[in-house]
Amino acid sequence: MKECRDIPGKELFQYYTDKGKRKSIDSGMVNQYIREAGGNDFSAKDFRTWAGSLQAIKNFITIGETTTKTEIKKNVTNMLDAVSAKLGNTRNICRKYYIHPELIKLYEENKLIKYIGESSHQKIEAKGLTPDEQLLMKILKRCI
């Protein structure tokens, strides 16, 4: 990555060919690769949404539930701040595009704790997923 970063230019993904010519890789090329490798209609945005939603779950677990509307609103704002810092976007962009809305809804309705409690008593279901990723998958499967 350091060698790629040191190539002059603004593109993050770039390389030199065997003949010394600089080539860049744009978002369309990355998304095409993801679609081909995944066998479905996935894009880089899906990975950002997964990362944003996962970060939201982790923050809600750390924050814990509360019953007052004021505290819930404050906690959602704190979660959005943490996710936006992680993804490098604004709160509004993260909420609108990179956090599944059902997660926020469940937290606001004090129903997220039910899923968290269930997941702590279950065996690992999916190979290669962390417990937090498994929790997110379970919520998404039930909500969509």
Side-chain angles (χ1 to χ4, degrees):
M1 286 300 286
K2 183 184 179 320
E3 289 175 10
C4 289
R5 188 188 69 217
D6 292 340
I7 298 172
K10 293 184 180 180
E11 295 88 3
L12 175 60
F13 297 111
Q14 50 186 321
Y15 63 96
Y16 287 114
T17 67
D18 292 337
K19 295 180 181 180
K21 186 173 180 179
R22 186 171 53 118
K23 294 279 192 169
S24 64
I25 301 172
D26 64 25
S27 62
M29 296 163 107
V30 171
N31 286 328
Q32 180 181 348
Y33 172 80
I34 291 170
R35 277 190 292 280
E36 290 171 3
N40 288 314
D41 191 23
F42 290 110
S43 71
K45 183 183 180 296
D46 293 300
F47 287 95
R48 281 184 74 75
T49 303
W50 178 260
S53 296
L54 185 61
Q55 191 66 40
I57 288 248
K58 289 178 179 184
N59 279 273
F60 281 143
I61 290 170
T62 301
I63 291 169
E65 72 174 356
T66 187
T67 55
T68 69
K69 290 185 186 228
T70 303
E71 281 293 309
I72 289 171
K73 186 175 179 177
K74 180 180 139 210
N75 290 347
V76 169
T77 299
N78 288 338
M79 176 278 298
L80 289 168
D81 285 341
V83 174
S84 66
K86 188 85 167 175
L87 296 183
N89 287 104
T90 65
R91 271 188 220 152
N92 290 337
I93 294 295
C94 288
R95 185 177 193 136
K96 188 172 182 181
Y97 297 108
Y98 297 123
I99 299 170
H100 195 286
E102 194 64 29
L103 300 176
I104 295 172
K105 180 182 173 194
L106 286 171
Y107 185 80
E108 289 173 339
E109 295 173 352
N110 281 313
K111 294 179 180 175
L112 187 59
I113 194 71
K114 172 186 128 187
Y115 289 95
I116 294 167
E118 286 176 7
S119 70
S120 66
H121 295 92
Q122 292 180 347
K123 289 171 45 175
I124 304 250
E125 297 172 7
K127 292 181 181 178
L129 296 180
T130 67
D132 291 334
E133 290 173 323
Q134 291 178 47
L135 173 60
L136 179 56
M137 282 296 293
K138 181 170 48 168
I139 291 169
L140 294 176
K141 283 181 179 179
R142 287 189 185 173
C143 296
I144 50 176

